[in-house]
Amino acid sequence: MPAPPPSLSYELVLEAHDRLRKRVRRTELIHSHHFSERLGIPLFFKCENLQRTGAFKIRGALNCMTAQPRAALARGVITASAGNHAQGVAFGADLLGVSATVYMPESTPPQKVYATRDYGAEVVLAGRNFDEAYAAAVQAQKESGALFIHPFDDPLVMAGQGTIGLEILSEVPDVSTILVPIGGGGLIAGIATAVRETHPHVRIIGVEAAAAPSMHYSLEKGRIMETPLQVSLADGIAVKRVGRNTFSVVQRLVEEVVLVEEEEIALAIVALLERTKLLVEGSGAVPLAALLSGVAGKYAGKTVCVLSGGNIDVKTISVVVERGLLAAGRYLKLKVELDDVPGSLARLASDIAATRANVSMITHDRRSKSLPIGKTEVLLELETRGYEHIQEVIQHLTGAGYDLEVLK
């Protein structure tokens, strides 16, 4: 009869640290001068986006596998994932010489699918979201007898993620606050367990996308609730239902869980690219988004944001950058109605030049059926310097007599 699974504990995290220290990268913890000055707190980034496979998930997956007797791996491993856990399991299985099957949602970005296959795993696309892929993986596990590696609700997985907390404490022993992304809850449960054992005064703050507020909603209700999902830039933390084990840990050890909107996530991704030269996916950018938007409040003392991953799809980057620029007031879209006479477009261009805005795209439509006779429509995309500059542009053009509409 197999031994009962261990419960998450500080000792389990220490054991995970011993197993992983030669197998995973001890990621950089960097101080950000720019964001420290901007937010008025000493701010540090724990860069799990620089981890092997591009995310923290390798820690939990590899710890779970290496803690098993060899016989338990004989039929291989199986899991479900939106992307990062998939790569962690695939990498760990390849390292240990066992087969791996990964169920991923049909909407998973191609980059994450290809990367998982490159590590040698068989990828099965199933379902519209993580929860549907998870259900398919559970059924397949029953038929195959492979070892199931849960993406977040296994104590060994949580303990592996908790090694991040030990690394933070070793470099910033006087840390006051740690902000952690929340999907199923494995990362924050592990970090909170590692940190609060020896540093009970440290505030642990969870951050979710408002489009996927499963932990926030469950805490409000006092029990685990299934939460409807919307499309989010933070696809890696979009789960309908948090873990039973992770929920109990968060209830005990986490001060609060806050929500961030999509524009705030996009703004944080762009800010990290511009100011720190770090490429971070939406799930990993939510802690900084919470600070920049103010929803996490202002904390005194040294603060750490866990940048949990950097596996963002290349095609998504251009969309994110545009949304981030819009959110930062660096980009303005206008629809302007002009008299359809020679020189009207030239006059508009001259008036825009006077505001020192830069035209990045212009479309001139003289044939739309919706236009009154004698009128023409111009769609403009302008590069601006912030919200004050946007207001200057709008006021100048309105004052010059233009009939315009600001587009989202």
Side-chain angles (χ1 to χ4, degrees):
M1 187 173 179
S7 298
L8 178 63
S9 64
Y10 180 67
E11 289 70 28
L12 206 66
V13 178
L14 293 178
E15 291 173 9
H17 180 260
D18 286 340
R19 289 192 194 98
L20 298 178
R21 59 184 175 182
K22 293 183 179 179
R23 291 186 168 106
V24 303
R25 178 175 182 175
R26 183 187 177 99
T27 53
E28 291 78 1
L29 195 151
I30 63 172
H31 175 248
S32 171
H33 295 282
H34 169 77
F35 289 110
S36 294
E37 293 177 2
R38 181 171 172 178
L39 294 166
I41 54 174
L43 186 64
F44 299 78
F45 294 130
K46 179 58 173 170
C47 299
E48 286 295 293
N49 59 310
L50 302 179
Q51 182 58 263
R52 299 175 75 172
T53 75
F56 74 98
K57 286 285 192 177
I58 186 178
R59 295 175 183 261
L62 196 52
N63 183 57
C64 185
M65 283 186 274
T66 53
Q68 308 295 330
R70 190 68 190 180
L73 303 175
R75 296 187 180 182
V77 296
I78 191 169
T79 194
S81 171
N84 289 335
H85 179 66
Q87 293 176 61
V89 169
F91 179 89
D94 181 62
L95 189 67
L96 298 176
V98 300
S99 63
T101 304
V102 179
Y103 281 72
M104 306 177 80
E106 294 167 355
S107 59
T108 302
Q111 177 215 10
K112 294 186 178 182
V113 175
Y114 300 151
T116 304
R117 286 176 176 156
D118 286 345
Y119 288 122
E122 177 188 355
V123 175
V124 180
L125 298 179
R128 295 166 295 176
N129 51 49
F130 164 77
D131 297 271
E132 293 183 7
Y134 175 81
V138 169
Q139 181 59 40
Q141 187 276 331
K142 293 177 181 177
E143 298 169 0
S144 69
L147 177 69
F148 191 85
I149 310 294
H150 199 286
F152 49 81
D153 207 33
D154 184 292
L156 289 169
V157 170
M158 291 186 277
Q161 325 301 27
T163 59
I164 295 170
L166 297 180
E167 291 177 11
I168 291 172
L169 291 180
S170 70
E171 295 189 52
V172 191
D174 55 344
V175 61
S176 296
T177 306
I178 303 175
L179 288 96
V180 186
I182 294 183
L187 176 62
I188 196 167
I191 289 176
T193 300
V195 171
R196 298 295 291 274
E197 176 73 17
T198 57
H199 292 64
H201 62 281
V202 175
R203 291 179 293 267
I204 309 293
I205 309 298
V207 189
E208 288 184 302
S214 53
M215 185 67 79
H216 185 272
Y217 186 49
S218 295
L219 290 171
E220 278 190 346
K221 297 297 182 181
R223 64 187 188 279
I224 297 173
M225 303 291 294
E226 187 167 296
T227 310
L229 302 179
Q230 301 175 35
V231 176
S232 176
L233 290 172
D235 60 300
I237 55 173
V239 300
K240 285 185 178 180
R241 189 179 181 89
V242 299
R244 176 176 57 85
N245 295 317
T246 62
F247 180 69
S248 64
V249 175
V250 171
Q251 275 188 313
R252 288 187 293 107
L253 300 180
V254 174
E255 269 75 13
E256 65 175 326
V257 174
V258 299
L259 304 178
V260 290
E261 301 294 339
E262 294 303 297
E263 287 73 18
E264 293 162 351
I265 298 172
L267 185 59
I269 293 172
V270 173
L272 284 163
L273 270 172
E274 284 194 322
R275 295 296 184 173
T276 67
K277 314 310 175 191
L278 291 171
L279 180 62
V280 179
E281 63 188 273
S283 304
V286 295
L288 180 61
L291 290 176
L292 294 178
S293 66
V295 298
K298 291 224 174 171
Y299 305 111
K302 294 179 180 178
T303 300
V304 175
C305 287
V306 178
L307 307 181
S308 58
N311 293 321
I312 187 169
D313 183 63
V314 173
K315 290 184 179 179
T316 305
I317 293 175
S318 61
V319 176
V320 170
V321 168
E322 181 175 328
R323 291 189 69 166
L325 292 175
L326 280 168
R330 304 265 300 280
Y331 204 59
L332 174 62
K333 294 182 178 181
L334 293 175
K335 180 168 70 176
V336 184
E337 192 173 285
L338 301 176
D339 292 329
D340 190 12
V341 296
S344 291
L345 186 59
R347 174 175 167 257
L348 174 62
S350 177
D351 284 327
I352 291 171
T355 69
R356 309 301 293 176
N358 190 35
V359 178
S360 61
M361 192 175 80
I362 185 168
T363 303
H364 188 200
D365 187 357
R366 302 177 63 215
R367 299 181 179 86
S368 175
K369 292 181 180 179
S370 64
L371 287 171
I373 299 297
K375 294 292 185 178
T376 183
E377 185 178 88
V378 178
L379 299 177
L380 293 161
E381 295 184 10
L382 307 177
E383 294 177 5
T384 50
R385 299 190 300 274
Y387 288 113
E388 289 185 4
H389 189 208
I390 284 176
Q391 293 305 313
E392 291 174 10
V393 172
I394 293 172
Q395 289 172 9
H396 180 83
L397 295 179
T398 303
Y402 292 101
D403 181 10
L404 57 86
E405 177 185 351
V406 178
L407 304 176
K408 298 296 184 181

